[in-house]
């Protein structure tokens, strides 16, 4: 007889924990990447801290005036070469209409933040399943814009020396820009590329257009970034190419959300189950360890007929007793045919039905005629 070959199990013992660990990590990653219901307190804190960090980093970028002006001259020459250098004409034309340019100054200063917050609140309330992914687009867009401010300082058109651009805030004495007037020392004036007025407004417009139900609201979603583009040019705060930079940053934000969630934000489900309430389907709240188990069937929850007294109150059961027995009683209580539910005659034998009896037919005792 030949010697039998024994296959060692060490390799299998090592492969099994590794497979389980890989599967656990994959499930964990899927759980983190899956859309979930946002929490109000966390979102408020996240938005507040994020905007504070954005303002801090943007204003902390060195104001490299000489390099920013060189970049401005280069942008202006490129636009002339492309035949799109009409910002100066637009600036002068709108500046001649006082009420219009003043309105644009206030538009530039306020709607940039107000509309974005309104869209975020609307997403939170009406599209919780898409909120986190759409918010990620906004945050990734803003983050990459900060890199642009640091690597490519750019002066706005109104600060170009020897140009004919009009600083509309200074001329009309309106509070319309953090980089003009008395507020210019609180903001980096050479962070014009890319334009986040365009990045954020297009984010708002696409979100409203893709998710709103009313047609006129969807039209407003498209008009908002268009009006913003006219405002940033008419007030001499940005070039056309600054808007292109904002669109590139927004495209990066959508790419990040697509890679993380596996789909565009607007293609995700509108609502998601609340994972904090999966423990109890009845009340929607997780069952705590100290809470007892609930009744298993609807009959147990409602109470069966033989466990209630004539007035509807439940009967107490003895440990191990059968349904219908009360503490201290002897044999089970039975109901003769025709008695209303809950009325029992102590001492009667149990109801007996022979095989083949139709539903509802009963015999009292064995051998008794029906």
């Amino acid at each position: 007889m030949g010697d039998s070959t024994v296959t060692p199990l060490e390799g299998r013992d090592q492969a099994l924990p590794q497979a389980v660990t890989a599967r656990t990590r994959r499930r964990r990653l899927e759980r983190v990447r899956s859309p979930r219901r946002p929490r109000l307190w966390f979102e408020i804190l996240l938005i507040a801290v994020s905007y504070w960090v954005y303002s801090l980093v943007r204003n902390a970028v060195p104001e490299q005036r000489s390099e920013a002006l060189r970049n401005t001259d280069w942008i202006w020459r490129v636009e002339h070469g492309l035949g799109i250098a009409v910002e100066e004409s637009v600036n002068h034309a709108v500046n001649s209409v006082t009420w219009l340019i003043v309105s644009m100054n206030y538009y530039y200063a306020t709607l940039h933040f107000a509309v974005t917050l309104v869209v975020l609140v609307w997403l939170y309330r009406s599209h919780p399943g898409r909120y986190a992914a759409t918010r990620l687009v906004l945050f990734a867009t803003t983050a990459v814009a900060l890199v642009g401010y640091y690597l490519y300082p750019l002066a706005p058109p109104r600060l170009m020396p020897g140009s004919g651009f009009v600083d509309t805030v200074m001329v009309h004495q309106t509070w319309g820009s953090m980089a003009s007037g008395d507020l210019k020392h609180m903001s980096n004036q050479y962070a014009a590329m890319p334009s986040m007025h365009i990045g954020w407004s297009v984010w708002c417009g696409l979100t409203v257009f893709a998710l709103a139900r009313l047609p006129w609201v969807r039209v407003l979603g498209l008009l908002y970034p268009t009006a913003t583009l006219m405002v940033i040019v008419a007030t001499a705060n940005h070039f056309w190419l600054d808007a292109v930079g904002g669109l590139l940053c927004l495209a990066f934000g959508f790419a990040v959300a697509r890679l993380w969630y596996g789909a565009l934000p607007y293609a995700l489900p509108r609502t998601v189950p609340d994972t904090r309430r999966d423990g109890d389907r009845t009340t929607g709240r997780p069952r705590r360890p100290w809470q007892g188990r609930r009744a298993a069937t609807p009959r147990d929850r409602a109470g069966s007929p033989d466990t209630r007294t004539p007035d509807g109150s439940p009967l107490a059961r003895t440990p191990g007793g059968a349904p219908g027995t009360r503490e201290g009683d002897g044999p089970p209580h039975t109901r003769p045919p025709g008695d209303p539910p809950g009325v029992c005659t102590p001492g009667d034998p149990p109801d007996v039905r022979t095989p083949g009896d139709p539903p509802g037919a009963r015999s009292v005792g064995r051998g008794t005629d029906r």
Side-chain angles (χ1 to χ4, degrees):
M1 299 294 290
D3 296 337
S4 59
T5 303
V6 179
T7 303
L9 300 179
E10 290 80 359
R12 184 185 303 175
D13 295 339
Q14 293 176 359
L16 183 59
Q18 292 178 359
V20 172
T21 303
R23 190 161 52 248
T24 303
R25 290 177 180 174
R26 186 166 57 252
R27 289 177 180 174
R28 243 179 237 172
L29 182 61
E30 291 176 356
R31 189 162 54 247
V32 171
R33 295 173 63 182
S34 60
R36 63 186 64 190
R37 191 173 186 85
R39 301 183 182 184
L40 181 59
W41 66 267
F42 176 78
E43 295 303 325
I44 294 176
L45 181 63
L46 179 64
I47 292 173
V49 172
S50 299
Y51 182 73
W52 175 75
V53 172
Y54 165 75
S55 301
L56 187 66
V57 174
R58 182 179 185 271
N59 298 333
V61 173
E63 294 191 3
Q64 305 175 27
R65 184 176 183 276
S66 57
E67 184 178 355
L69 292 177
R70 284 197 302 269
N71 292 335
T72 300
D73 293 334
W74 183 84
I75 289 285
W76 193 231
R77 289 197 303 270
V78 169
E79 288 196 353
H80 274 285
L82 296 175
I84 59 174
V86 296
E87 291 92 337
E88 186 177 352
S89 301
V90 174
N91 173 240
H92 283 273
V94 178
N95 185 66
S96 62
V97 184
T98 304
W99 67 268
L100 181 58
I101 193 61
V102 169
S103 301
M104 286 187 172
N105 285 339
Y106 289 119
Y107 181 112
Y108 185 87
T110 57
L111 293 189
H112 177 48
F113 309 104
V115 175
T116 305
L117 289 177
V118 168
V119 173
L120 281 171
V121 172
W122 172 65
L123 279 172
Y124 178 87
R125 293 177 58 86
S126 301
H127 299 268
R130 299 160 179 156
Y131 174 85
T134 315
R135 182 204 60 199
L136 177 60
V137 174
L138 183 65
F139 279 33
T141 300
T142 307
V144 74
L146 291 175
V147 178
Y149 297 149
Y150 184 85
L151 297 179
Y152 195 80
L154 183 71
R158 56 184 174 77
L159 293 183
M160 289 180 62
S163 67
F165 285 98
V166 177
D167 190 338
T168 59
V169 174
M170 294 293 294
V171 171
H172 298 280
Q173 297 297 312
T174 56
W175 182 70
S177 173
M178 288 290 292
S180 295
D182 296 334
L183 300 176
K184 64 183 179 181
H185 301 293
M186 300 174 58
S187 178
N188 186 357
Q189 299 188 76
Y190 304 111
M193 171 66 82
S195 170
M196 279 297 94
H197 276 75
I198 292 299
W200 288 12
S201 65
V202 174
W203 175 87
C204 294
L206 290 178
T207 302
V208 171
F209 179 78
L211 302 181
R213 295 181 179 179
L214 297 177
W216 66 270
V217 176
R218 301 180 69 191
V219 172
L220 286 179
L222 295 180
L223 290 179
Y224 173 58
T226 305
T228 302
L229 179 61
M230 292 300 301
V231 167
I232 66 173
V233 172
T235 56
N237 281 293
H238 289 282
F239 295 101
W240 297 120
L241 292 182
D242 297 345
V244 175
L247 292 177
L248 293 177
C249 292
L250 182 63
F252 173 82
F254 274 107
V256 171
R258 177 68 175 80
L259 291 174
W260 182 255
Y261 288 99
L264 290 176
Y266 311 136
L268 295 173
R270 179 179 181 181
T271 59
V272 291
D274 193 345
T275 55
R276 296 166 291 170
R277 298 185 176 182
D278 288 342
D280 193 334
R281 297 180 180 178
T282 304
T283 62
R285 296 179 180 177
R287 184 179 293 117
R288 307 303 183 190
W290 57 83
Q291 293 176 342
R293 296 185 61 85
R294 302 181 184 274
T297 64
R299 180 181 178 87
D300 293 336
R301 288 195 295 268
S304 56
D306 62 348
T307 60
R308 294 187 176 273
T309 61
D311 60 355
S313 60
L315 294 173
R317 295 184 182 180
T318 57
T325 59
R326 288 182 294 184
E327 188 174 358
D329 287 345
H333 297 281
T334 59
R335 290 188 287 120
D339 285 351
V343 179
C344 302
T345 306
D348 287 347
D351 296 338
V352 180
R353 283 193 309 172
T354 59
D357 287 344
R362 303 193 300 176
S363 297
V364 182
R366 296 186 181 276
T368 306
D369 295 333
R370 289 191 296 253

